[in-house]
Amino acid sequence: GKLTGVSNPITIRASGSRFGSWMTDTMTPSADTRVWYMDGYYKGRRVLEFRTLNDFVTGQNFVQHLLPHPWAGTGHVVFNGSLYYNKYQSNIAVKYHFRSRSVLVQRSLAGAGYNNTFPYSWGGFSDIDFMVDENGLWAVYTTNQNAGNIVVSRVDPQTLEVLRSWDTGYPKRSAGESFMICGTLYVTNSHLAGAKIYFAYYTNTSSYEYTDIPFHNQYSHISMLDYNPRERVLYTWNNGHQVIYNVTLFHVIKTSGEL
C-alpha cells in the first residue's frame, strides 16, 4: 500500500521527558497488547513493559527490564519478542530478548555514523533508527561514504547482517524523522510544528519522489516516529506525549493483463 494520508493525532498519555520512545510488538498475535516504554535518548537502560495499553495509560502493571548496554537515540523497535536498539557510543546494533532477559546478538553496522554525527534534525543521538514494516526489519542511518544521505538497509533479524542497502540521496540532518511502510521510506521535513511528509523512497524500484502529505504535529517536538504494520498506525513521542496516528494506504491492485 502507498501512504495517502495521516489522521489527526490521538494522544494516549502524557508522561516522561521531552524525548523517548514507546511501542508495541510489530509481529506478535493481536491478543498480545503489551506496551514498551523507553524514556530519554541518552545512556538509558530502563525499559518498562506494560501488560496492556490500558495499563500503560494508567501507569500500572509493568515490569522493568534493565538492559546490559545503554541505548543511544530513540530509534528502537520491538519485533517478535526482542528489542532492537543502537548501543550507546557505537554503531553496534543490539538484539535483546525480553523473555530470557539476554542479548542474543550484537553487530556493527559498517561505516554507520553515531554519537550525533548524522542525527535527525532534532539531534539526540538519533543516528541509527530501526524500524519494521510488512517486509521485515530495517535500519536507517548514514555514512561518510554516502555524504550524510539517508541509507536504508534490510537487516536479518536473526543475525543483524545487512542484506541489502539503498542510498536515498536525502540528507539525514535535514529530516525530522522517518518510517517504513511496505518497503517505502517516508521522511518528514521537520520535527517541529508545520512538518509534513515530504519525501518517499521506494526500495522495490530504487526511486524516490517528493510528497506533500499533511501531518499535524500537535506538541511541536517529535523525537520518535514509527509505523506498526500489525496495527497500521504510527507511534510518536511528541514533547513528552505518547501519540498515535491512523494511516490511509492506497492499494494498487494489478489485473492479470499487467506485468
Side-chain angles (χ1 to χ4, degrees):
K2 184 177 177 177
L3 181 68
T4 55
V6 176
S7 75
N8 277 325
I10 303 154
T11 302
I12 303 297
R13 187 180 175 190
S15 70
S17 63
R18 194 172 190 189
F19 319 94
S21 63
W22 73 294
M23 65 219 90
T24 55
D25 197 319
T26 49
M27 202 180 148
T28 54
S30 53
D32 181 354
T33 58
R34 287 176 296 168
V35 174
W36 285 271
Y37 176 88
M38 299 165 70
D39 189 11
Y41 65 86
Y42 177 73
K43 288 207 305 199
R45 287 178 58 202
R46 201 166 72 113
V47 183
L48 302 186
E49 176 189 309
F50 292 85
R51 200 176 48 188
T52 65
L53 183 64
N54 198 48
D55 286 337
F56 174 66
V57 170
T58 58
Q60 297 171 318
N61 292 326
F62 63 87
V63 294
Q64 178 175 292
H65 300 268
L66 208 57
L67 300 174
H69 312 294
W71 72 71
T74 56
H76 334 297
V77 71
V78 176
F79 176 57
N80 201 18
S82 291
L83 173 73
Y84 295 79
Y85 72 97
N86 176 208
K87 188 177 180 177
Y88 174 62
Q89 284 190 321
S90 76
N91 57 16
I92 291 170
V94 177
K95 177 183 181 181
Y96 174 85
H97 188 241
F98 284 115
R99 190 164 334 128
S100 64
R101 294 184 177 248
S102 62
V103 170
L104 297 185
V105 60
Q106 46 183 324
R107 182 185 288 265
S108 171
L109 285 165
Y114 61 94
N115 254 13
N116 273 343
T117 309
F118 299 117
Y120 290 121
S121 58
W122 64 272
F125 298 86
S126 57
D127 304 70
I128 297 171
D129 193 359
F130 294 99
M131 41 190 87
V132 169
D133 72 353
E134 292 78 1
N135 301 343
L137 179 67
W138 304 82
V140 169
Y141 55 96
T142 187
T143 64
N144 284 316
Q145 199 181 349
N146 288 79
N149 292 330
I150 291 177
V151 178
V152 181
S153 292
R154 276 288 308 274
V155 176
D156 184 318
Q158 303 305 322
T159 63
L160 298 180
E161 278 181 275
V162 170
L163 303 173
R164 188 175 167 193
S165 293
W166 293 260
D167 180 359
T168 65
Y170 194 97
K172 188 157 181 290
R173 283 179 165 274
S174 303
E177 266 286 344
S178 67
F179 55 93
M180 297 289 296
I181 299 181
C182 296
T184 300
L185 181 77
Y186 295 94
V187 182
T188 66
N189 60 347
S190 169
H191 62 285
L192 301 170
K196 61 185 179 180
I197 297 165
Y198 180 69
F199 179 86
Y201 186 88
Y202 305 97
T203 59
N204 60 341
T205 56
S206 301
S207 62
Y208 68 87
E209 67 176 340
Y210 288 93
T211 57
D212 188 2
I213 301 172
F215 175 71
H216 181 45
N217 181 347
Q218 188 172 356
Y219 304 107
S220 306
H221 197 290
I222 285 177
S223 62
M224 170 249 165
L225 179 59
D226 253 349
Y227 172 68
N228 185 309
R230 186 183 71 165
E231 301 166 24
R232 293 204 170 164
V233 298
L234 295 171
Y235 278 71
T236 309
W237 188 292
N238 194 340
N239 220 344
H241 299 79
Q242 292 75 47
V243 177
I244 58 173
Y245 296 84
N246 291 307
V247 298
T248 305
L249 301 179
F250 175 72
H251 289 278
V252 181
I253 298 165
K254 293 186 175 175
T255 61
S256 56
E258 289 178 65
L259 285 171

